[in-house]
Amino acid sequence: MANAEKKTILSGIQSSGALTLGSYIGAIRNWVELAEDYSCYYCIVDMHAITVRQDPETLRRNTLTQLAQYIAAGLDPEKCALFIQSHVPAHAELAWALGCYTMFGELGRMIQFKEKSAKNADNVNAGLFTYPVLMAADILLYQADLVPIGEDQKQHLELTRDVAQRFNGVYGETFKLPEPYIPKIGARIMDLQAPENKMSKSSSSSGGCVCLMDKPEEILRAFKRAVTDSGAQVRFNPESKPGVSNLMEIYAVCSGKTLPDVEREFSGRGYGDFKKAVGEAVVETLRPMREEAERLLEDRAYLEKMCADGARRAALTADKTLRLVYEKLGFVAKPALPSEADANTIAKPGEAAI
Ligand code: ATP
Ligand code: LTN
């Protein structure tokens, strides 16, 4: 398909920690599949990550590791724009403008804000509150048709549509209204130790979260210890059997089987057998990605070049939307500003011209 006919996708993941099996199954796996047919922008949202305190060196390392993992998972940096959010200033700029069209009450209703402010009670900062506005800017800048996400991000996407609609209502058609793409299986992978909670990189449960860079023996151990129930049947029922149903979804995705197939395969077999098989399927799914990411991390220059190229491509599209928004808002057209390379040729205020 020619690029002009292709629909657009944007998605992002915070670099606030190691990528989890949840974000792979809920998001990245679908990014890879969709990249064949769409024009794709995939970013690492480091600006979102600082809404909770980050150690600077760890954040930098996590961001580059995440880029390596995107590529290792099968995203081709020549085909998709893979970039770091803070490299494209239009994200912050549009977020400011959209913030003036987002209501305080709307942001206060966001579940993620309520959860994260409860978890970080000593640091309920304004960025945590306005987080969804920056996410709306991420999406609307690219006029995305589709946003592949896990179930937990649905509310943020609805807010994005509401804000876009409000802006379009005042200024005329400006933003495309994006649709969420939430997978039927694996939209909400649960914590292996506490299957009532989402598996998350900031989870406090030990052994409940599997990360993409974990070693095979750690993964096998986590699945061996995974919480099930007092029964003995491998049956899909998230309400009455949350632990087993979660393991079934993970196994179905990693083995390419359907849930009825999985029930049949383990009918009459114990949980021990089942958990071992799930662990092994996860190890084999993650192994090539981990090995390739480790290899890519040895070549920092390559990673830096890939994300610089991605940022340039992203900025081209993002700046076009931002210019349109500024014009609609009534801002005076922005002049071309000097680049860092011109710094020595421009006088500071109060200094003589060079
Ligand atoms: P944090 O704990 O810092 O909030 P997280 O582990 O929840 O992070 P995100 O970076 O917020 O992960 O999510 C990245 C993407 O993966 C989002 O689209 C999100 O919906 C999806 N995702 C995250 N966790 C899961 C999960 N357990 N199951 C399915 N999808 C998930
Ligand atoms: N809010 C999301 C991460 C995120 C995102 C985005 C996802 C930031 N910007 C744009 C999709 C599209 C999260 O917390 N997982």
Side-chain angles (χ1 to χ4, degrees):
M1 225 188 292
N3 241 10
E5 302 158 21
K6 282 189 175 177
K7 290 195 169 187
T8 302
I9 284 193
L10 175 123
S11 201
I13 299 183
Q14 303 182 64
S15 43
S16 47
L19 283 183
T20 71
L21 181 64
S23 51
Y24 174 70
I25 293 181
I28 300 175
R29 173 176 67 103
N30 305 307
W31 297 8
V32 176
E33 234 174 80
L34 294 163
E36 289 302 314
D37 299 321
Y38 288 80
S39 171
C40 297
Y41 297 86
Y42 293 129
C43 55
I44 298 165
V45 293
D46 53 347
M47 286 156 66
H48 278 104
I50 61 164
T51 53
V52 299
R53 278 285 181 273
Q54 302 291 334
D55 167 65
E57 275 320 309
T58 311
L59 179 61
R60 220 182 318 277
R61 193 177 57 244
N62 283 340
T63 304
L64 284 172
T65 304
Q66 201 164 309
L67 175 65
Q69 288 176 301
Y70 283 6
I71 301 172
L75 296 171
D76 180 350
E78 307 278 335
K79 290 192 187 150
C80 319
L82 305 182
F83 67 100
I84 297 173
Q85 182 188 37
S86 64
H87 290 180
V88 182
H91 289 244
E93 294 180 72
L94 184 63
W96 176 260
L98 293 181
C100 301
Y101 295 82
T102 309
M103 299 303 132
F104 191 87
E106 286 177 310
L107 292 175
R109 285 195 289 277
M110 294 296 111
I111 297 162
Q112 186 170 307
F113 170 67
K114 291 185 200 165
E115 286 176 355
K116 292 216 169 176
S117 43
K119 228 189 239 176
N120 302 280
D122 55 342
N123 185 22
V124 184
N125 59 72
L128 197 60
F129 189 65
T130 57
Y131 177 112
V133 182
L134 180 57
M135 175 163 166
D138 297 341
I139 297 166
L140 299 177
L141 273 176
Y142 299 90
Q143 306 286 0
D145 296 278
L146 209 60
V147 184
I149 41 173
E151 177 74 36
D152 62 305
Q153 293 303 310
K154 202 170 153 203
Q155 195 188 27
H156 286 164
L157 200 81
E158 280 160 10
L159 179 72
T160 300
R161 289 172 59 93
D162 290 345
V163 173
Q165 235 160 350
R166 186 171 300 139
F167 195 98
N168 288 352
V170 178
Y171 297 102
E173 206 55 29
T174 308
F175 297 120
K176 198 174 262 179
L177 298 189
E179 297 285 343
Y181 178 95
I182 300 173
K184 288 207 174 60
I185 299 186
R188 193 171 171 82
I189 297 298
M190 309 310 273
D191 187 293
L192 301 183
Q193 286 301 311
E196 62 285 359
N197 299 330
K198 188 188 82 138
M199 181 185 284
S200 144
K201 52 184 163 256
S202 54
S203 135
S204 49
S205 97
S206 120
C209 179
V210 168
C211 293
L212 301 195
M213 297 300 258
D214 285 353
K215 300 269 177 292
E217 51 284 12
E218 293 173 294
I219 299 174
L220 292 173
R221 195 176 331 118
F223 280 96
K224 195 170 167 195
R225 292 183 45 225
V227 166
T228 49
D229 51 53
S230 55
Q233 286 190 329
V234 176
R235 277 276 146 74
F236 191 72
N237 186 334
E239 274 83 49
S240 64
K241 296 170 81 65
V244 168
S245 303
N246 186 42
L247 294 173
M248 285 180 71
E249 290 204 32
I250 296 173
Y251 184 69
V253 167
C254 292
S255 65
K257 295 175 182 159
T258 64
L259 293 172
D261 279 346
V262 180
E263 281 185 1
R264 266 190 298 275
E265 183 176 348
F266 292 96
S267 147
R269 291 166 66 184
Y271 285 163
D273 253 16
F274 173 53
K275 292 201 282 187
K276 186 159 174 277
V278 183
E280 283 166 0
V282 172
V283 165
E284 289 322 313
T285 302
L286 300 187
R287 187 196 302 280
M289 264 186 281
R290 176 175 51 81
E291 289 174 356
E292 178 62 1
E294 280 168 354
R295 194 187 67 76
L296 289 166
L297 277 167
E298 300 284 311
D299 193 349
R300 186 160 168 160
Y302 169 79
L303 292 175
E304 284 172 356
K305 178 173 183 321
M306 286 306 114
C307 68
D309 288 352
R312 282 188 203 102
R313 277 194 279 166
L316 217 56
T317 309
D319 289 347
K320 215 160 114 192
T321 304
L322 188 69
R323 219 172 305 122
L324 176 68
V325 170
Y326 279 6
E327 190 201 323
K328 297 219 173 191
L329 287 170
F331 290 175
V332 172
K334 206 170 157 180
L337 294 176
S339 69
E340 281 172 41
D342 301 322
N344 295 330
T345 66
I346 296 170
K348 284 199 188 127
E351 281 180 359
I354 296 169

